[in-house]
Amino acid sequence: MQRVARVVVDVPLAHLDRPFDYAVPDELAEQVVAGCRVRVRFAGKLVDGVVLELASGTDHTGKLAPLAKVVSAEPVLTPEVAELARSVADRYAGSLTDVLRLALPPRRGAPEKRPRLDPPAPPPAPDPAGSTPAENRPPGR
């Protein structure tokens, strides 16, 4: 079964504002994850892209082009950010690529070489009754 990567390619043309399917070569299979940065051949040129998702099949009838390279196996695009970026692009008549270019952090090679740490726990939810409990307010307020 062929693994397929749905990739948003970094091209400025509005009519190409959709994901494209690429075959995941066996030698890259362990590195390719949803949200990672890749390089793909598009219209004869090597361009940057981000994997939106991995699938087990495609609706494309022809032969899929393979991913050229995994730039970074570190996932930088979560499904929530992808959905938000799509909503922003649709709302303001932009393209997903333009929104992602501004939403995703620039690539830094040094942090990718360090071992991955678990993210810190999120802060507690705010008190719905008010911002500061009365006993913690400064005197006179």
Side-chain angles (χ1 to χ4, degrees):
M1 185 182 307
Q2 181 182 27
R3 284 187 58 194
V4 175
R6 294 213 165 87
V7 178
V8 175
V9 293
D10 191 0
V11 291
L13 305 171
H15 68 280
L16 299 175
D17 186 25
R18 63 182 177 87
F20 291 88
D21 290 350
Y22 285 86
V24 178
D26 291 339
E27 62 270 13
L28 299 179
E30 289 184 20
Q31 298 174 331
V32 177
V33 295
C36 74
R37 297 175 197 262
V38 294
R39 300 268 296 166
V40 296
R41 190 151 300 280
F42 191 84
K45 296 181 181 178
L46 214 51
V47 296
D48 293 324
V50 178
V51 176
L52 276 184
E53 65 180 345
L54 294 171
S56 59
T58 181
D59 293 335
H60 183 69
T61 56
K63 186 176 191 248
L64 293 178
L67 295 174
K69 177 183 177 184
V70 174
V71 174
S72 170
E74 185 74 25
V76 293
L77 179 63
T78 64
E80 296 83 12
V81 172
E83 184 179 339
L84 178 62
R86 177 79 269 166
S87 296
V88 169
D90 292 344
R91 169 85 172 156
Y92 296 102
S95 70
L96 179 59
T97 300
D98 289 338
V99 176
L100 289 178
R101 198 176 297 125
L102 297 170
L104 296 179
R107 182 168 181 261
R108 302 282 185 241
E112 293 173 10
K113 293 177 185 173
R114 284 188 240 139
R116 234 177 145 178
L117 302 174
D118 290 330
D127 181 10
S131 62
T132 308
E135 62 271 7
N136 293 337
R137 287 190 199 135
R141 292 194 183 191

